[in-house]
Every structure is written in C-alpha cells, then in structure tokens.
Amino acid sequence: MHAKTMEGLAGASMNMKMMNTPFRVYQEAERRGDTSAMERAMGYVGETADKAEDYQKKVEKGMKEEAKEAREKAKSEQENAIRKRKEEHGEQEKRIAESRNGNTDTVNISENGKAILGERSDLAQAGTDSGIPVETADVVKTEPVIYTKTGEAARPESSTNISVSA
C-alpha cells in the first residue's frame, strides 16, 4: 500500500473519532440550553470534519498514484515478456537456419539395410510376434557385459550361483 494512502486513511479515521468528543459536548450543551457552548462545540466538529475531508483527499491522491505505479509496472513486465519471447523466437530461428545449412548429420541406408527394413515391415504386416528379422534377433540375445574402470569388457564368472530361499 502506498504511504500517502496509509497516512490518509489513518488521519481520516482519527479525525472521525476525534469528532465524537466535540459532538457529545454539543449535545450536552443543547440539553442545558447553552447556545455559546453549542456554537464552540460545532466549530470544533466542523474543524475536525474538514481535517477528515482533507485526509480523504490524500487517500484518493495516494490511490491514484498507486494505480498509476501498478499500471507502469504491469506495462514494463509486459514489455519484458514480449522482448524475451522475441529473443527466444530469434534463437529458435537461428537453430532452424543452422539445421538447414547442412551442419547436421545425415544417415545413409545401404541396399542391404533397405532390404532388411523391407522384410521387417513385411513380417510386421503378416502378424508375426515380433517385427525383428531373424538376422537381427541373434544380435539382441547377447549375454550381458560388465565394463571395468579401464573400459575393457569383463565377462561375469559363469560359476557364480545365486540362490534365494524364502
């Protein structure tokens, strides 16, 4: 909340509370029939009411300034978001241009590979259990290999027996 708004609200509230005292004096003077005391009390009531009104104007002014600052902040955030989106779009355009320039890897499939691919699609369409041709199925069924820290393949010992009893 803006400082002027808080000051205005506090001042207006305090002056409205302070207005109760001279107004009570006015009512007592009215019961007694003391017109001079009534006039003085109404003067004080009028002064505090004027002060409360001035503070109310401060509240309105503070709220206008606060709203203006909020609009400016929202506008700057929106401009920043637009600028970031433009930068991201520019970066994306650069990546697309680089990929079109030929700086990417290409894959060439040999005639044998095309033939195997054609056989695979024929087997898959025929409804076989797996769409993998027999030649590549042997490659998939290799034994697991564990690599050492130096990068050499170390076969697991075949004499290792693991038994679990429950």
Side-chain angles (χ1 to χ4, degrees):
M1 185 177 279
H2 202 268
K4 287 185 179 181
T5 305
M6 290 181 64
E7 179 186 350
L9 288 173
S13 173
M14 189 58 65
N15 278 296
M16 291 301 287
K17 289 178 184 176
M18 287 174 47
M19 191 169 52
N20 290 336
T21 304
F23 193 70
R24 222 176 300 125
V25 170
Y26 171 81
Q27 289 175 339
E28 289 176 18
E30 185 179 29
R31 281 188 216 115
R32 287 187 313 233
D34 188 3
T35 57
S36 65
M38 288 172 48
E39 288 176 4
R40 280 193 315 269
M42 281 308 287
Y44 291 131
V45 169
E47 287 176 13
T48 55
D50 290 341
K51 287 181 183 177
E53 194 175 313
D54 291 342
Y55 278 112
Q56 181 62 31
K57 289 179 183 176
K58 269 190 178 180
V59 169
E60 292 172 2
K61 185 177 179 181
M63 289 177 71
K64 285 180 183 177
E65 289 178 4
E66 191 174 352
K68 182 180 177 183
E69 289 174 4
R71 282 192 304 267
E72 289 173 356
K73 183 179 178 182
K75 184 178 178 182
S76 67
E77 288 176 357
Q78 184 180 18
E79 289 173 354
N80 287 338
I82 290 171
R83 181 180 44 80
K84 286 181 182 178
R85 286 188 195 118
K86 285 183 180 180
E87 288 174 0
E88 289 173 359
H89 183 70
E91 290 174 6
Q92 186 178 16
E93 289 292 328
K94 287 179 184 176
R95 281 186 260 138
I96 291 172
E98 287 177 3
S99 67
R100 289 183 182 165
N101 288 339
N103 293 338
T104 59
D105 294 335
T106 57
V107 176
N108 293 324
I109 301 174
S110 66
E111 294 300 322
N112 291 338
K114 290 178 184 177
I116 292 173
L117 181 63
E119 291 173 11
R120 181 186 292 174
S121 63
D122 291 342
L123 290 174
Q125 290 175 356
T128 59
D129 291 330
S130 67
I132 303 172
V134 178
E135 298 90 21
T136 57
D138 294 336
V139 175
V140 175
K141 295 181 182 179
T142 59
E143 292 185 24
V145 178
I146 299 175
Y147 291 97
T148 62
K149 290 181 182 180
T150 60
E152 298 173 2
R155 300 265 179 204
E157 296 178 12
S158 59
S159 63
T160 306
N161 292 331
I162 299 174
S163 63
V164 178
S165 60

